Structures are given as C-alpha cells and as structure tokens.
Amino acid sequence: MPHLRFRAVEFDHVKALSTKLVDDLEPLMVCPREDFTLEHISTTFIFDGEVSDAYPFVEVLWFDRGQDVQDKVAQIITEAIRAELEEPEQDVAVIFTALTPSAYYDNGSHY
C-alpha cells in the first residue's frame, strides 16, 4: 500500500521510472518502499468506435494523507512520467481513490 496503476504508459517506461518514483514518494507518504505496488495495465482506449491514443493515466489507491500530500504526489508522478517520456508538456492524468483501512486486509487482518 499504496498501489499505483499505470495505463497508456509502456511497460519499459514504468519499469524505468519505478525506482526513482518510489524514492521520491517514500518520505512524502511516510511509507516503507516495500509497501509500494506499481502495476502496469495494458489497455486499449476506444473513442467513437475506433481505437484511439490516450495520454498517461495513473490511478493511486491509498489511505488518504490529506490534500497537500495528494497535490505533491500528483505532481511527482506527473513529473516522473514527463521525464521518462522526455515530453515536458505531456498531459498526465492522476486519479486518487482513498481506501478505508477497516476494509483493507493484509493476511486476513485489516488496518
């Protein structure tokens, strides 16, 4: 925990940015690096009946850490993707889903 799910970012790019991204997020989120999960999701985007290109989309599932931390996390993720793609103006969507600790189980016990 937290879980970061990457869509419309190639696998090799997610792999390449993963170490520095967790390095940057770990102190901000006050979370040990071994608790981070990064997932690459292969997707196909469709618009008006046709396959379409999409810009990078990152979903963050986490225990809420407040608006200030959320804003900083979104900025770090956006900058990491832009740097990896070498496209400083790349549109990047970051969407947060706050999980409830009592509904999150690890080895049969909730947080």
Side-chain angles (χ1 to χ4, degrees), residues 35-49:
D35 287 355
F36 282 82
T37 301
L38 278 69
E39 179 180 5
H40 172 265
I41 300 175
S42 179
T43 57
T44 302
F45 291 86
I46 301 165
F47 181 75
D48 281 342

Side-chain angles (χ1 to χ4, degrees), residues 12-64:
D12 288 338
H13 288 302
V14 175
K15 188 175 170 184
L17 65 79
S18 64
T19 299
K20 183 175 180 339
L21 179 60
V22 172
D23 287 346
D24 293 345
L25 293 176
E26 181 182 11
L28 180 62
M29 297 175 86
V30 191
C31 182
R33 71 180 307 103
E34 60 270 10
D35 287 355
F36 282 82
T37 301
L38 278 69
E39 179 180 5
H40 172 265
I41 300 175
S42 179
T43 57
T44 302
F45 291 86
I46 301 165
F47 181 75
D48 281 342
E50 302 290 331
V51 173
S52 67
D53 292 330
Y55 53 86
F57 179 99
V58 181
E59 181 182 10
V60 180
L61 291 88
W62 72 338
F63 297 142
D64 188 8

Side-chain angles (χ1 to χ4, degrees), residues 1-19:
M1 178 51 172
H3 304 289
L4 284 74
R5 296 177 175 164
F6 292 80
R7 293 177 179 87
V9 181
E10 292 181 22
F11 174 82
D12 288 338
H13 288 302
V14 175
K15 188 175 170 184
L17 65 79
S18 64
T19 299

Side-chain angles (χ1 to χ4, degrees), residues 82-102:
R82 288 176 173 171
E84 175 59 29
L85 299 179
E86 298 179 354
E87 295 185 31
E89 300 300 319
Q90 174 66 56
D91 287 332
V92 177
V94 180
I95 298 176
F96 292 83
T97 301
L99 302 176
T100 305
S102 64

